[in-house]
Amino acid sequence: MSSKDLYSILGVERSASDAELKKAYRKLAQKYHPDVNKDNEEAEKKFKEINMAYEILSDKQKRAQYDQFGSTGGPGGGGFGGGFGGFDPSQFSGDSGFADIFETFFGGAHPGGGRSRGPRGPQTGGDIETTLSLSLEESAFGTDKTLEINKADACPHCDGKGAEPGSSIVDCVDCQGTGQVRSVRQTILGNMQTVRTCSRCHGEGQVPEKPCTTCHGTMRTRQRQNLTVKIPAGVENGATIRLKGKGEAGIRGGGYGDLYLHIRVTPHKSFLRKGYDIHSEIELHVLQAILGDKINVETLHGPISLKIPSGTQNGHTFKLKQKGVQHMRGSGQGDHYVTVKVMIPTKLSKEEKVLYDQLTTASGLDLDPDQGLFSKFKK
Ligand SMILES: [Zn+2]
Ligand SMILES: [Zn+2]
C-alpha cells in the first residue's frame, strides 16, 4: 500500500466534510472489520489503512498539514505515502503508532512546518459571542453600552508571561533548551527517529524558573471585564456587530480573538420598525375623523403636530417624512407612517343620543334602531 492518497483510501473527495469522512470511514470499517473477516490478511491490511487515513483526516490540524504537504510533495518529495516508501502500518502497533509517524513527518522538526502551524505554537484566542438587548430608541439613535464579559485574558499577575514576577527564565530541562525531544524507535525499515515538540516548554525551549502562582504558567486567567461598546445608529434587530480583537487572549503570543455581538431589539409598545421606517397607529374619535382636527403624534423624534383633514377614513395612512430611523450607512433617514383607527363610541349619553338622532334625520337616513346602528345601546 505505498503512496496511496488518504482521501482515496476512504473513497471521498478532498473537499469532503467531517460528516462525509465519518460516514465513509464507518462504512469501510464495518466492511473490513477483523471480526467479520476472520483470517483475511487483505482485509486486515485494508482495515488498518482505513483507520490510519481516518485518524489523520478526522483531526483538523493533521488534515490541514496533510493537505498542505501531502499534495505538494512534502519533505519526502513524493506525496505523503511516498515519503515512507511503502511502510506497513501494521508495524506500528498501539493507538499512538500513526500519530507518531505523523509527528515525525510533520512535527515541529520539519523545516517547513514552522512553529506557528504546530499544535504547540502561538494560537489565536477564541472568539466570544454574546447577545445585546437594545430598546428601539437605542438602536435607532446609537448608544454606548457597557457589557460585562467573562473571558480568558492575559494574567494580570505575571503580565501574561507565565513566570512568577521576579523569577528568571531558564532552559527547559526536558529538551535542554531546544524545544524538541528526540527518540529512536526500531521498525522494519530500520531505526526511525521521532521528534516531538517538548511538552514541558511547548517547544519554547525555555521555561520560567517559577511558574506564575496565579495562572500556573498558562499565561491566561478567566476574567470578568466591563467593555464599553459604541452601538451605531440604525442597527437592526438580528444584526451582528464584530469587534475585532475584543475576544479572548491568544496562547503563547497568538493574537486576540474577536467579539461578536448579536443585537436584539426589544419590541416597542407602539412603534414597529420595518427597514428604516417606523409604523404606528393613532386612534381617532369618529367625530375627529368626520370633522378634522389637529393632533400630536408620537414619533422617535418626539411629538409631531399632524393635521387630520375632515373626512379622514379608517385605515388611512399619513406619512411623516424623515421621522424614521437614521440609515446605518450613508445619510438620511426613514419615514414614520401613522395609520388611522377610527373609534366608534360604545356608550352614548342621553344628550349625545338625541344629537345623533337629529344627525340621522339631517343625513336623510331612515334607521331601524332596534336592529340598526344603536340597538346595542338601548337596553
Ligand atoms: Zn522543553
Ligand atoms: Zn500569571
Side-chain angles (χ1 to χ4, degrees):
M1 64 136 280
S2 64
S3 326
K4 259 200 191 164
D5 178 64
L6 296 184
Y7 290 94
S8 61
I9 288 174
L10 293 178
V12 294
E13 299 284 318
R14 292 189 83 81
S15 57
S17 66
D18 289 353
E20 286 168 331
L21 276 173
K22 197 172 192 174
K23 204 175 151 196
Y25 165 71
R26 276 202 177 149
K27 219 172 132 188
L28 290 169
Q30 269 168 16
K31 189 174 167 192
Y32 293 105
H33 198 279
D35 287 355
V36 291
N37 296 276
K38 288 239 162 33
D39 303 323
N40 182 340
E41 255 188 63
E42 239 352 88
E44 195 187 325
K45 232 176 165 178
K46 191 98 180 129
F47 182 67
K48 283 175 174 159
E49 225 178 87
I50 296 158
N51 277 296
M52 177 200 66
Y54 184 67
E55 184 178 332
I56 292 168
L57 295 182
S58 61
D59 181 317
K60 268 197 172 59
Q61 203 138 19
K62 286 180 183 169
R63 184 178 176 180
Q65 286 177 323
Y66 174 71
D67 284 346
Q68 190 179 1
F69 298 120
S71 58
T72 56
F80 179 70
F84 291 106
F87 79 98
D88 179 357
S90 64
Q91 292 303 312
F92 303 94
S93 55
D95 285 345
S96 61
F98 307 129
D100 283 354
I101 287 288
F102 202 83
E103 281 265 323
T104 310
F105 217 66
F106 300 114
H110 175 241
R115 242 189 223 156
S116 62
R117 272 193 288 270
R120 300 297 189 188
Q123 284 170 34
T124 306
D127 294 331
I128 304 174
E129 281 185 79
T130 187
T131 301
L132 178 65
S133 289
L134 298 174
S135 68
L136 183 64
E137 287 86 350
E138 286 173 326
S139 71
F141 296 109
T143 181
D144 288 343
K145 277 274 175 186
T146 300
L147 315 166
E148 193 191 57
I149 47 174
N150 183 348
K151 70 172 187 178
D153 207 343
C155 170
H157 184 60
C158 63
D159 205 17
K161 292 186 176 70
E164 181 67 13
S167 84
S168 49
I169 302 287
V170 294
D171 276 358
C172 172
V173 291
D174 283 13
C175 62
Q176 284 87 42
T178 62
Q180 290 158 3
V181 179
R182 285 158 203 275
S183 59
V184 176
R185 322 174 38 146
Q186 289 192 339
T187 74
I188 51 152
L189 303 173
N191 287 349
M192 226 167 174
Q193 186 171 251
T194 309
V195 181
R196 278 204 200 85
T197 302
C198 174
S199 57
R200 175 186 284 265
C201 64
H202 307 298
E204 295 294 312
Q206 301 194 308
V207 288
E209 195 177 17
K210 196 175 170 215
C212 169
T213 50
T214 301
C215 66
H216 310 289
T218 61
M219 306 171 192
R220 306 192 305 174
T221 56
R222 286 220 80 81
Q223 297 168 26
R224 285 204 168 276
Q225 294 181 358
N226 285 331
L227 177 69
T228 301
V229 184
K230 197 162 190 62
I231 305 298
V235 67
E236 256 184 297
N237 183 41
T240 297
I241 297 174
R242 177 184 177 216
L243 297 157
K244 218 170 146 16
K246 297 293 183 192
E248 304 204 312
I251 301 172
R252 289 182 288 282
Y256 274 76
D258 299 328
L259 173 65
Y260 290 89
L261 267 189
H262 301 299
I263 300 296
R264 194 183 163 274
V265 179
T266 43
H268 192 276
K269 65 180 191 331
S270 44
F271 298 155
L272 182 68
R273 177 173 171 177
K274 286 183 186 169
Y276 289 104
D277 296 329
I278 293 291
H279 295 254
S280 71
E281 223 176 43
I282 36 162
E283 294 184 349
L284 293 182
H285 189 281
V286 66
L287 292 177
Q288 278 177 298
I290 292 169
L291 301 173
D293 196 5
K294 198 171 171 187
I295 61 166
N296 279 334
V297 176
E298 283 302 326
T299 75
L300 281 174
H301 304 261
I304 299 290
S305 170
L306 176 67
K307 188 181 180 303
I308 306 291
S310 62
T312 291
Q313 302 293 312
N314 183 50
H316 180 79
T317 298
F318 295 97
K319 177 178 174 178
L320 307 171
K321 269 189 134 183
Q322 307 254 298
K323 295 299 175 193
V325 179
Q326 191 189 311
H327 288 184
M328 223 173 122
R329 287 177 193 85
S331 56
Q333 41 202 355
D335 304 314
H336 185 130
Y337 293 92
V338 56
T339 300
V340 168
K341 189 176 173 191
V342 174
M343 304 306 285
I344 308 294
T346 51
K347 266 199 181 114
L348 294 176
S349 65
K350 263 197 183 132
E351 197 185 351
E352 282 175 318
K353 171 76 175 67
V354 169
L355 291 170
Y356 273 112
D357 279 343
Q358 287 177 10
L359 198 53
T360 306
T361 311
S363 302
L365 287 170
D366 181 19
L367 304 180
D368 184 354
D370 283 340
Q371 282 134 52
L373 204 51
F374 300 117
S375 62
K376 63 193 264 201
F377 309 117
K378 277 218 126 180
K379 286 162 198 158

